[in-house]
C-alpha cells in the first residue's frame, strides 16, 4: 500500500471535546473506553472508565461537520461481588444504540457484569408563577399562572440485565430485528429479548468441563446487519466464526470458521498472542468480515473460508520489538476496527495517537494523528509533529513511538466520511 498525501489533505481535524491537555492531569475515570454513532449519525455516544455516558448531537445550524453536547449521565457505579470477593469496575466496555422508533433514544451500555437499557428524552419544565393581583379569583380561588420554562434532557434506566455472565462482558450487539441483542463474555454468548431482563438464552458456550483444558476465549461478537439469524464471534486463537441460530440451540458446533494459515517456520513465542483477534465487524452489506489482530487487518468474504480476500499489515515496524511490547504489556492492547459507511474503506488505530484509513479498492493508506500537540505544532510551522506508522515509510525524522498514547476506540459515521476517535480523555472528530 502507498501513502497518498493528497488523500491525507482531504481529511481535516474538525473538533475536539476534552479540556485537559497534559497527560499528568488526566484521571483514570476520564479515559474514554467506548465510542459509538447511532444509526443516523446525528448522535454520538462515549463511555468512560468512570462509568459515565456522554451524548453529542449534530449541530444542524452549522455548515459542515460539528457536534454539540447533548447530555451526560452516570450509567454504572463501582460494585463489589461479595461471593467472589471481587471489585466490579464501573468502566463502560461497550455502548450500542437501538434504532429510534419515537421521540426518545434507547441505548445499551455495559460494564464487566451488568447491561443497562437507557431511555434518553427531552422533558419540558413548567413553572407556576405567583398569583396575579389583577386577575379576578375564580370561585374564591386564585389560579397560579403556568408557563413553559425550559427543556431538559433526561436519562432513565428502563431495564437492567444482570447476573447472566460469570466472566467479563466484552461485546454487546443489537440484532436487526430490533427485538433481541447478544452479550458476550470470555466463554459464553447470551441472547436477550430487549423487553425481558429476567432471562437470557445461552447460544455459544466454549467453557471446557475442566478449566485446566482451556485453550481459547471469546474476544468479540456481533450480529449480521441484515440477517437476524446470523452472528459471528472471534477468539484468542485468531479465528472468526459465523454461526446460524436456526441450525441448533448452541451455535458453537456448526459454524463457518475463518482461520488464516500460518507457516510453521514463521511461528515464534509471540505468534499466539499477536494472532488473537481484538475486534470483528461486518461490512454494512453483511458480505465481508473485518478482523483486527495485533499486527494485521484481515478482510474475509463470508462465502469463502479458505483465506482472507485482503490482508493489511498494520504496525509492521513493531514486529521487531515484540519482546519490549510483551514486557510493557502493550502486546495485549485491544484495538478496534471498522468499515466506512459505504464499505469501501476500513480503519483502525495505533500508537502515538495515530490511526489509519485503508481504501480497499485503491490500496491507499491515509495516516492521521489525534493529538492536540500535533495541531499546535502544525500551526507553529513545525514538521516534526508527523508520526506515521505505515508500512512503506522511509522517513528519517519520525518521532519515537509513544506507547502511552493509543487509539483503541473509534466509530465511523454510517453515511458520511466522519470519524470519531477517542484519544485518552479527548474525543476527536475528523471529516473528509
Amino acid at each position: 500500500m502507498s501513502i497518498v498525501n493528497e488523500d491525507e489533505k482531504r481529511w481535516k481535524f474538525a473538533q475536539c471535546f476534552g479540556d485537559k491537555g497534559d497527560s499528568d492531569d488526566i484521571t483514570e475515570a476520564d479515559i474514554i473506553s467506548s465510542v459509538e454513532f447511532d444509526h443516523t449519525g446525528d448522535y454520538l455516544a462515549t463511555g468512560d472508565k468512570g462509568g459515565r455516558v456522554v451524548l453529542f448531537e449534530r449541530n444542524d445550524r452549522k455548515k459542515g461537520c460539528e457536534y454539540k453536547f447533548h447530555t451526560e449521565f452516570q450509567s454504572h457505579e463501582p460494585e463489589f461481588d461479595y461471593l467472589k470477593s471481587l471489585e466490579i469496575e464501573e468502566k463502560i466496555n461497550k455502548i450500542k444504540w437501538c434504532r429510534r422508533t419515537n421521540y426518545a433514544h434507547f441505548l445499551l451500555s455495559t460494564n464487566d457484569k451488568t447491561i443497562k437499557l437507557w431511555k434518553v428524552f427531552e422533558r419540558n419544565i413548567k413553572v407556576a408563577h405567583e398569583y396575579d393581583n389583577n386577575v379576578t379569583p375564580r370561585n374564591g380561588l386564585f389560579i397560579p399562572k403556568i408557563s413553559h420554562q425550559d427543556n431538559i434532557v433526561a436519562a432513565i434506566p428502563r431495564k437492567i440485565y444482570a447476573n447472566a455472565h460469570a466472566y467479563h462482558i466484552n461485546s454487546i450487539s443489537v440484532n436487526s430485528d430490533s427485538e433481541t441483542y447478544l452479550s458476550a463474555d470470555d466463554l459464553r454468548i447470551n441472547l436477550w429479548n430487549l423487553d425481558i431482563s429476567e432471562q437470557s438464552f445461552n447460544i455459544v458456550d466454549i467453557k471446557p468441563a475442566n478449566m485446566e483444558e482451556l485453550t481459547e476465549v471469546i474476544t468479540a461478537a456481533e450480529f449480521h446487519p441484515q440477517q437476524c439469524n446470523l452472528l459471528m464471534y472471534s477468539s484468542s486463537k485468531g479465528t472468526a466464526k459465523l454461526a446460524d441460530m436456526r441450525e441448533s440451540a448452541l451455535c458453537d458446533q456448526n459454524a463457518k470458521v475463518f482461520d488464516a494459515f500460518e507457516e510453521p517456520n514463521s511461528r515464534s513465542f509471540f505468534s499466539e498472542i499477536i494472532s488473537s483477534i481484538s475486534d470483528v465487524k461486518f461490512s454494512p452489506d453483511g458480505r465481508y468480515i473485518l478482523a483486527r489482530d495485533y499486527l494485521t487487518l484481515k478482510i474475509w468474504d463470508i462465502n469463502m473460508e479458505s483465506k482472507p480476500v485482503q490482508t493489511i499489515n498494520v504496525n509492521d515496524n513493531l514486529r521487531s520489538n515484540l519482546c519490549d511490547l510483551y514486557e510493557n504489556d502493550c502486546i495485549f492492547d485491544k484495538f478496534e476496527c471498522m468499515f466506512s459507511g459505504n464499505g469501501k474503506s476500513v480503519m483502525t488505530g495505533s500508537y502515538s495517537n495515530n490511526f489509519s484509513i485503508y481504501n480497499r479498492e485503491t490500496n491507499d493508506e491515509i495516516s492521521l494523528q489525534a493529538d492536540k500537540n500535533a495541531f499546535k505544532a502544525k500551526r507553529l510551522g513545525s514538521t516534526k509533529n508527523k508520526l506515521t506508522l505505515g508500512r512503506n515509510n522511509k522517513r528519517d525524522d519520525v518521532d519515537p513511538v509513544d506507547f502511552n498514547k493509543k487509539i483503541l476506540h473509534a466509530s465511523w459515521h454510517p453515511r458520511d466520511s466522519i470519524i470519531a476517535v477517542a484519544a485518552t480523555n479527548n474525543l476527536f472528530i475528523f471529516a473528509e
Side-chain angles (χ1 to χ4, degrees):
M1 283 198 183
S2 60
I3 297 174
V4 181
N5 291 327
E6 288 305 313
D7 282 345
E8 275 186 50
K9 290 176 185 175
R10 288 210 309 265
W11 281 89
K12 301 284 187 185
F13 161 69
Q15 263 182 299
C16 178
F17 295 95
D19 52 0
K20 295 177 183 175
D22 189 354
S23 58
D24 294 335
D25 295 335
I26 300 169
T27 64
E28 186 78 6
D30 292 328
I31 296 174
I32 297 173
S33 54
S34 182
V35 182
E36 192 77 17
F37 278 108
D38 77 336
H39 297 89
T40 65
D42 293 335
Y43 290 86
L44 175 64
T46 66
D48 63 26
K49 290 189 175 183
R52 294 180 296 265
V53 171
V54 182
L55 304 187
F56 301 91
E57 179 185 11
R58 193 158 183 176
N59 192 352
D60 293 330
R61 295 180 181 177
K62 296 289 182 84
K63 288 185 178 180
C65 165
E66 182 176 302
Y67 285 79
K68 59 184 179 180
F69 174 81
H70 186 58
T71 191
E72 174 184 340
F73 57 91
Q74 188 71 32
S75 175
H76 286 70
E77 302 280 358
E79 300 173 53
F80 191 81
D81 186 335
Y82 291 97
L83 290 175
K84 297 179 180 177
S85 296
L86 287 175
E87 287 186 14
I88 302 170
E89 292 183 345
E90 64 271 37
K91 173 195 165 191
I92 306 298
N93 291 345
K94 292 289 178 182
I95 295 172
K96 293 294 176 185
W97 295 81
C98 301
R99 288 191 181 273
R100 196 172 182 181
T101 57
N102 55 28
Y103 67 94
H105 297 279
F106 288 87
L107 55 117
L108 292 167
S109 63
T110 184
N111 65 351
D112 284 341
K113 299 293 181 187
T114 304
I115 306 157
K116 296 183 180 182
L117 176 66
W118 288 90
K119 178 183 179 181
V120 180
F121 59 100
E122 287 195 16
R123 177 181 283 170
N124 293 331
I125 296 181
K126 294 182 178 179
V127 176
H129 293 280
E130 292 182 4
Y131 307 126
D132 190 341
N133 294 327
N134 298 319
V135 177
T136 305
R138 192 178 299 174
N139 297 328
L141 294 173
F142 283 97
I143 309 297
K145 184 181 179 183
I146 306 293
S147 67
H148 171 76
Q149 185 77 6
D150 200 2
N151 285 345
I152 64 164
V153 181
I156 56 172
R158 289 299 303 269
K159 297 284 182 184
I160 297 177
Y161 314 87
N163 306 318
H165 286 276
Y167 306 95
H168 292 176
I169 298 170
N170 56 50
S171 302
I172 49 176
S173 177
V174 181
N175 204 346
S176 59
D177 62 12
S178 297
E179 295 179 2
T180 58
Y181 76 93
L182 65 77
S183 58
D185 65 28
D186 294 340
L187 297 179
R188 293 190 174 113
I189 300 176
N190 292 332
L191 177 68
W192 300 83
N193 187 304
L194 281 162
D195 292 330
I196 303 170
S197 58
E198 295 80 27
Q199 66 173 353
S200 62
F201 300 95
N202 183 219
I203 54 174
V204 173
D205 188 349
I206 65 167
K207 183 179 180 180
N210 182 0
M211 283 295 280
E212 291 180 1
E213 298 172 1
L214 182 68
T215 58
E216 65 177 325
V217 295
I218 297 167
T219 55
E222 186 177 66
F223 268 121
H224 190 280
Q226 276 108 36
Q227 300 182 50
C228 61
N229 53 290
L230 293 180
L231 68 124
M232 68 165 167
Y233 60 98
S234 59
S235 87
S236 58
K237 276 193 169 180
T239 62
K241 295 183 178 181
L242 182 68
D244 190 337
M245 291 191 294
R246 296 173 302 185
E247 292 186 359
S248 64
L250 271 178
C251 302
D252 47 354
Q253 299 300 320
N254 304 310
K256 282 188 176 182
V257 180
F258 303 89
D259 187 6
F261 174 75
E262 184 182 11
E263 293 288 346
N265 57 3
S266 65
R267 290 189 62 81
S268 70
F269 170 77
F270 304 107
S271 291
E272 195 168 315
I273 301 172
I274 63 174
S275 66
S276 175
I277 295 176
S278 56
D279 193 24
V280 283
K281 293 287 193 329
F282 277 110
S283 59
D285 61 3
R287 174 69 185 273
Y288 298 97
I289 291 171
L290 177 65
R292 168 75 203 260
D293 59 38
Y294 193 66
L295 295 179
T296 69
L297 278 170
K298 293 183 177 71
I299 301 173
W300 298 84
D301 187 323
I302 64 170
N303 298 317
M304 189 174 78
E305 297 171 73
S306 56
K307 63 177 181 179
V309 294
Q310 203 170 356
T311 300
I312 301 165
N313 291 319
V314 182
N315 292 351
D316 235 14
N317 58 332
L318 299 181
R319 200 174 288 274
S320 58
N321 299 328
L322 294 179
C323 255
D324 296 334
L325 293 162
Y326 181 78
E327 290 293 325
N328 64 17
D329 283 344
C330 284
I331 202 169
F332 301 106
D333 284 336
K334 300 185 186 307
F335 292 95
E336 294 178 358
C337 60
M338 58 232 54
F339 278 96
S340 60
N342 59 15
K344 293 180 179 179
S345 298
V346 296
M347 177 217 155
T348 193
S350 185
Y351 294 105
S352 296
N353 280 355
N354 280 262
F355 63 97
S356 294
I357 301 164
Y358 306 92
N359 188 306
R360 295 174 54 203
E361 297 175 340
T362 64
N363 286 344
D364 292 329
E365 172 191 349
I366 302 165
S367 292
L368 299 164
Q369 191 174 29
D371 196 311
K372 286 182 177 178
N373 295 328
F375 302 135
K376 289 175 186 172
K378 231 173 217 179
R379 284 198 296 271
L380 294 171
S382 170
T383 58
K384 286 207 70 181
N385 64 325
K386 180 70 177 170
L387 169 67
T388 327
L389 293 178
R391 293 161 304 289
N392 298 323
N393 284 317
K394 304 296 181 187
R395 295 169 54 96
D396 296 324
D397 61 338
V398 174
D399 292 341
V401 178
D402 187 343
F403 293 110
N404 292 318
K405 294 181 177 180
K406 54 193 90 170
I407 303 297
L408 300 175
H409 313 288
S411 184
W412 199 309
H413 191 287
R415 293 190 310 269
D416 301 335
S417 294
I418 299 171
I419 294 172
V421 176
T424 319
N425 67 312
N426 294 309
L427 176 70
F428 288 86
I429 309 287
F430 287 82
E432 189 177 18

